[in-house]
Amino acid sequence: MSKTYLYREDEIKLGLDATQASYLAGVIDGEGHIRVNRRGRGTPGESLYPEVVVTNTHRGLVSWLLDNVGGTAYTKARPDSSKRTKECYGIVWTCSIAVAVLRAVYPYLVVKKNEARMLLGWRNAERRCLVEAGQKRFGSRRKAPVWLLVQREL
């Protein structure tokens, strides 16, 4: 399947009320995943970043997420050989936007609460490490610390 990016929204819109935040938490619990992703594996510019992804076969859900939260939306075209496979739509939040989304929905998460807690804890530890090292971010020819890479492997 090939990905086609439909829309790119760099500005986060997290003016969610409690009902919307709880709905978003349910969507992430049921249709999403939370992870620390790695870019440039094994290269001098290797970096780690938080990522929250929601995928669904209903385009209206992704449209609602774009309108109310923002992010990067994409579509995966179904293979021609499979008539039984529906077209899939998704939205991705990365870096500080992913952290902001998780902080907004954290009280309402049920299934993915542990993953969110681990990612938010990792992000806080990463920030402390950067401050101690006098860096703004990992990557850009700055190798990620070994303890973060080990944490990612777990």
Side-chain angles (χ1 to χ4, degrees):
M1 282 192 194
S2 63
K3 277 188 185 180
T4 304
Y5 288 90
L6 302 171
Y7 187 82
R8 172 77 185 190
E9 180 62 57
D10 292 321
E11 184 179 322
I12 191 73
K13 311 167 197 169
L14 275 182
L16 302 175
D17 61 26
T19 304
Q20 291 171 322
S22 61
Y23 177 73
L24 178 55
V27 169
I28 291 171
D29 269 342
E31 304 291 336
H33 67 266
I34 300 167
R35 68 181 180 174
V36 175
N37 206 351
R38 186 182 297 184
R39 181 179 297 133
R41 186 181 300 254
T43 66
E46 181 178 36
S47 62
L48 302 171
Y49 61 95
E51 183 177 76
V52 179
V53 180
V54 172
T55 55
N56 197 280
T57 57
H58 189 269
R59 190 174 185 155
L61 174 64
V62 174
S63 294
W64 184 88
L65 293 170
L66 276 174
D67 292 343
N68 290 282
V69 182
T72 302
Y74 64 89
T75 182
K76 285 185 182 178
R78 69 178 186 193
D80 292 333
S81 62
S82 176
K83 301 284 184 199
R84 297 174 55 187
T85 305
K86 290 184 176 182
E87 193 166 41
C88 186
Y89 304 96
I91 189 162
V92 180
W93 299 291
T94 60
C95 303
S96 59
I97 296 174
V99 171
V101 167
L102 287 179
R103 285 187 180 139
V105 302
Y106 184 79
Y108 308 105
L109 288 171
V110 176
V111 177
K112 305 252 172 45
K113 193 166 202 126
N114 192 39
E115 288 91 337
R117 182 182 311 117
M118 287 174 53
L119 188 136
L120 292 171
W122 168 79
R123 188 66 168 180
N124 290 337
E126 178 192 41
R127 290 288 161 222
R128 285 194 307 271
C129 181
L130 288 171
V131 168
E132 290 172 11
Q135 297 178 1
K136 292 184 180 178
R137 66 183 183 91
F138 293 121
S140 300
R141 300 188 190 106
R142 294 183 197 107
K143 193 123 175 107
V146 173
W147 66 270
L148 276 177
L149 297 175
V150 170
Q151 182 74 16
R152 174 65 169 99
E153 300 291 324
L154 300 176

